[in-house]
Amino acid sequence: MQNPFETSQSRPEEAFAVAAERFLGLLKSFGVPTAGGVTDWSALARPLATQFEQLLRTSQSAGPWFAAAAAMSPGAAGFAAPLAGTFGLPPLGPAAVQNGEAQRSFELLGRLAQLQGQLAVHWSEIASTAARRFVERLGAIAAPPATPDQALKLYELWVSCAEEAYAATVHREDFGRLQAELVNTSAALLVEQRRHAETLVRAFGLPTRNEVDALDTQVRELRRQLAELARAPRASGGDAGETRGRSHGAAQSGPAAPPRAKRPGRRPSGKRARGPRR
Amino acid sequence: LRPPGADAGTPFTDLSLRIAETLARLRRAREVTVGGSARRAVWSCGKTTLYRYLPLASAAAARGPQAPLLICFALVNRPYVLDLQPDRSLIRRLLEAGLSVYLIEWGDPDDADRRVDLQDYIEHHLGGSVRHILAAHRAPALDLLGVCQGGVLSLCYAALHAHEVARLVTLTTPVDFHTPDNLLSKWVRHLDTGLIEACGNVPGEVLNGLFLALMPFRLTQQKYVRLLAGTPDQRAVEDFVRMEKWIFDSPPQAAAALAQFVRWFYQENRLVRGTLEIGGRHVRLADVRQPLLNLYALEDHIVPPAACAAMRQHVGGRDYTECAIATGHIGMYVSRAAREEIPARIISWLRAHRRTRRGLRAQ
């Protein structure tokens, strides 16, 4: 089943099928029309809240930071398992690193579990508030919907109640802080995971991220110096060209490396844009 | 695929039929194409490509001197939503009005681009595009149309390079990131941007998830169920699928640029506080003195209207026009308003503010 919160592709058929299934599930909760009898809507609150809570929980698992946390969770194989099989030793994950580092990963995992528990409390609260609000507004309606259009109207009402309850909670300062801490903790775990991976990479004599970043910094600095050098003679010749891009010949009506339009005196002195970077 | 709910045991067999029919229509619409106007790449820098749209044979003859128009879209979405299909295309409407239209596509940053930052995007990618266009047209200045986050980048550029931007149009562009109704801002206010940056580029689906989570029930459930309302129409389903394709087709974000955007704009609100610096240069909204048209949506759940309307208090120019449209964020690109009202307003405003050859406003 598609999780809309973590898909990178549009799959409208699948998403529609899931939404339609939930919609029909909701209609089942409403029950079939009764002959002239007034329906007791209060029984609806629990199934509606359960369904909404499930939806909210699917949003919690999205994102690379959360995925990293899942990969490192005790009991989850993560990406360490196949490598361990290949090389006969478990070089990745909390078990592969020095005790201090492993301790840090376990602490982060523990904190993450705590935060997820706190988030679940919010989901539960939102779901039950939404259901209660819906049941209150249903009060005036005597019977379940008898036609598709009536069903859709009822569904719209449910959606409004659900979104209102959601908005009332997620705009709160404490919710914002909790969300941020969840992401920060998950990101910290991912950073830890990468540090462990670098331990392995170093053992095989392969370049690490830090080394690649250092090279990148050098290349940027060299480019900057090169641009300064290129600009120096031009500046005295009147061309302050800073464009580093590539013109695509066929479409260009101007020069291949277009000079920057000159506006003497418009640019504050000593405040030239920094040299080219990537 | 079996229609879900076929065995639901409800009296709604009609509903089950509608579901089956809608599924079949969605299946038939699977291969819809997006983007229709002819264009060609004219310049590139890193992953960024500048496109020029080819003039339409049917275009209105340009009245008087026209500055070329550059569209600067957001980094977080793809700009083809502005040219989704011939009858839903802001770009096509602009071409029909006889404008020379350029568009920046930021491309997909890969791991080698994780340190590309806002200075790179503003000074080199956007700036390089501007300089290329000015040289190609032998023009002193161009018109800049900034969309959403691209509007923020455009404001920065217009403030730093005032002489290169003749007129500025902003569409759903936030300026004050701390208005009380800005949920996105509340959620990212306490993020550790250093940690986020250390994790590397952020995949597009993470941002998608974030945007969907702003109104999860409407955006992941209700919009699909709404397909069951009214008379089934294959064309409407195809339009829907095009939009779906665009919504889920988000590029990854360069780690450094995203972290800076979150920190400087969402967390520190530097644009309105006057504390923003790009490449060592102070960005002051008061330096944006060009004629400015600010269009925003009244029902925007991503960029609240108040965040956009704040522009009027901060820009330096007296020639400021704003227009609030009764639609949502995405509606600004594809709704009926987007088809009719928005292009008409932009075109008439540009015409009303046409410049003479001496660089003075005609009206």
Side-chain angles (χ1 to χ4, degrees):
Chain A
M1 187 187 286
Q2 180 190 14
N3 179 351
F5 294 98
E6 55 189 11
T7 185
S8 58
Q9 273 183 359
S10 132
R11 296 190 195 95
E13 290 161 60
E14 249 184 77
F16 170 76
V18 172
E21 200 172 333
R22 281 185 196 272
F23 173 53
L24 289 176
L26 195 69
L27 292 186
K28 271 206 279 185
S29 310
F30 292 153
V32 291
T34 51
V38 174
T39 308
D40 175 17
W41 295 113
S42 60
L44 261 180
R46 185 180 285 273
L48 283 180
T50 307
Q51 200 197 63
F52 190 30
E53 199 174 333
Q54 273 170 3
L55 174 77
L56 292 169
R57 280 174 191 271
T58 58
S59 67
Q60 192 181 342
S61 63
W65 304 297
F66 296 118
M72 287 186 74
S73 296
F79 68 87
L83 282 172
T86 307
F87 301 108
L89 71 165
L92 290 180
V97 293
Q98 291 173 0
N99 283 342
E101 290 182 22
Q103 185 59 33
R104 165 85 179 138
S105 295
F106 287 125
E107 280 168 14
L108 287 169
L109 276 169
R111 180 68 188 137
L112 199 61
Q114 259 181 4
L115 294 169
Q116 281 166 340
Q118 289 174 26
L119 194 62
V121 172
H122 281 296
W123 296 153
S124 194
E125 194 181 292
I126 291 168
S128 54
T129 306
R132 202 174 47 244
R133 203 174 283 214
F134 181 61
V135 168
E136 278 165 17
R137 289 193 196 168
L138 275 177
I141 300 172
T147 67
D149 287 337
Q150 284 176 5
L152 286 165
K153 228 177 216 173
L154 209 58
Y155 179 75
E156 297 272 331
L157 180 63
W158 164 234
V159 170
S160 296
C161 294
E163 288 292 0
E164 281 167 24
Y166 181 76
T169 296
V170 300
H171 272 273
R172 287 196 330 233
E173 168 79 9
D174 62 328
F175 186 89
R177 282 190 185 278
L178 174 60
Q179 281 276 42
E181 200 182 344
L182 256 165
V183 173
N184 291 341
T185 309
S186 304
L189 254 174
L190 185 60
V191 169
E192 277 295 302
Q193 195 180 42
R194 288 193 177 161
R195 219 150 49 121
H196 300 167
E198 292 227 334
T199 307
L200 177 72
V201 162
R202 265 196 302 274
F204 285 101
L206 297 170
T208 64
R209 164 58 70 194
N210 285 337
E211 287 162 352
V212 172
D213 283 350
L215 282 174
D216 181 67
T217 304
Q218 280 179 34
V219 170
R220 279 171 169 255
E221 179 56 20
L222 286 170
R223 277 194 182 139
R224 193 191 60 76
Q225 288 176 11
L226 199 62
E228 289 290 330
L229 285 172
R231 209 162 32 218
R234 278 193 201 158
S236 55
D239 183 355
E242 280 184 6
T243 304
R244 305 163 296 148
R246 287 177 294 123
S247 286
H248 295 223
Q252 192 182 345
S253 54
R260 188 176 184 135
K262 285 186 68 184
R263 284 286 173 280
R266 299 292 294 271
R267 186 194 286 276
S269 59
K271 290 203 171 184
R272 286 186 71 91
R274 218 160 85 186
R277 303 167 66 190
R278 187 190 295 122
Chain B
L1 187 62
R2 201 160 160 266
D7 56 350
T10 68
F12 301 118
T13 43
D14 183 23
L15 205 51
S16 292
L17 280 173
R18 280 197 203 182
I19 290 171
E21 208 174 325
T22 306
L23 266 176
R25 287 181 193 282
L26 284 167
R27 218 174 288 132
R28 282 202 294 278
R30 212 181 261 165
E31 303 304 327
V32 291
T33 54
V34 288
S37 304
R39 63 181 193 173
R40 62 186 170 197
V42 292
W43 183 83
S44 62
C45 175
K47 299 292 190 299
T48 297
T49 306
L50 174 67
Y51 288 93
R52 179 177 188 174
Y53 283 86
L54 305 186
L56 298 176
S58 59
R63 283 183 268 162
Q66 296 265 9
L69 175 70
L70 172 61
I71 301 175
C72 176
F73 203 76
L75 296 162
V76 297
N77 290 115
R78 300 203 192 270
Y80 63 73
V81 74
L82 301 179
D83 186 34
L84 208 55
Q85 59 198 75
D87 64 341
R88 287 207 288 181
S89 168
L90 171 64
I91 286 173
R92 198 173 174 85
R93 298 291 92 78
L94 298 172
L95 291 170
E96 282 168 358
L99 298 171
S100 297
V101 181
Y102 289 83
L103 172 83
I104 296 175
E105 277 204 4
W106 304 108
D108 287 17
D110 60 25
D111 212 35
D113 302 305
R114 61 205 280 270
R115 300 174 79 190
V116 172
D117 61 17
L118 288 181
Q119 186 193 348
D120 293 319
Y121 279 127
I122 293 170
E123 290 293 354
H124 304 303
H125 297 216
L126 172 55
S129 299
V130 170
R131 291 188 285 275
H132 173 90
I133 295 167
L134 296 185
H137 286 258
R138 294 184 171 80
L142 49 63
D143 295 332
L144 192 53
L145 166 53
V147 183
C148 191
Q149 183 191 26
V152 178
L153 306 184
S154 299
L155 279 167
C156 294
Y157 193 82
L160 293 171
H161 304 275
H163 56 284
E164 292 175 4
V165 181
R167 295 166 296 186
L168 184 61
V169 180
T170 53
L171 205 62
T172 61
T173 296
V175 168
D176 183 351
F177 288 76
H178 284 184
T179 54
D181 48 355
N182 195 332
L183 183 53
L184 208 49
S185 171
K186 288 175 183 172
W187 282 0
V188 302
R189 199 78 56 87
H190 305 290
L191 284 187
D192 182 339
T193 50
L195 263 180
I196 301 302
E197 189 174 348
C199 286
N201 290 349
V202 176
E205 54 265 42
V206 173
L207 292 184
N208 273 344
L210 185 65
F211 294 137
L212 293 178
L214 294 174
M215 289 199 298
F217 219 79
R218 288 200 195 285
L219 302 177
T220 69
Q221 304 295 308
Q222 187 197 27
K223 71 172 178 180
Y224 299 104
V225 173
R226 276 190 169 170
L227 289 172
L228 298 170
T231 317
D233 171 6
Q234 183 61 26
R235 213 180 142 180
V237 170
E238 285 173 9
D239 290 350
F240 178 84
V241 171
R242 278 192 193 93
M243 273 311 298
E244 282 288 283
K245 187 177 164 63
W246 176 74
I247 288 168
F248 287 97
D249 181 16
S250 298
Q253 297 299 296
L258 184 69
Q260 285 176 340
F261 199 84
V262 170
R263 189 163 60 246
W264 294 350
F265 295 96
Y266 278 102
Q267 295 182 341
E268 298 173 0
N269 210 12
R270 288 189 185 187
L271 203 50
V272 295
R273 287 187 178 153
T275 52
L276 180 65
E277 279 193 13
I278 300 286
R281 296 179 62 195
H282 196 173
V283 179
R284 295 179 194 88
L285 282 178
D287 290 339
V288 177
R289 297 201 177 89
Q290 297 88 343
L292 200 159
L293 172 63
N294 182 19
L295 298 159
Y296 57 88
L298 286 170
E299 293 146 36
D300 197 326
H301 70 288
I302 296 175
V303 181
C308 307
M311 202 181 296
R312 84 173 80 98
Q313 297 147 26
H314 296 281
V315 291
R318 277 179 299 175
D319 191 345
Y320 171 87
T321 310
E322 77 176 27
C323 180
I325 314 268
T327 186
H329 189 80
I330 292 172
M332 286 293 273
Y333 314 135
V334 293
S335 66
R336 183 179 291 275
R339 262 178 275 181
E340 293 158 14
E341 188 177 353
I342 292 170
R345 281 192 183 272
I346 293 173
I347 292 161
S348 65
W349 184 84
L350 286 174
R351 280 184 179 149
H353 290 76
R354 200 163 51 234
R355 292 163 72 98
T356 66
R357 287 196 187 283
R358 288 187 303 173
L360 300 169
R361 280 196 297 115
Q363 294 174 34

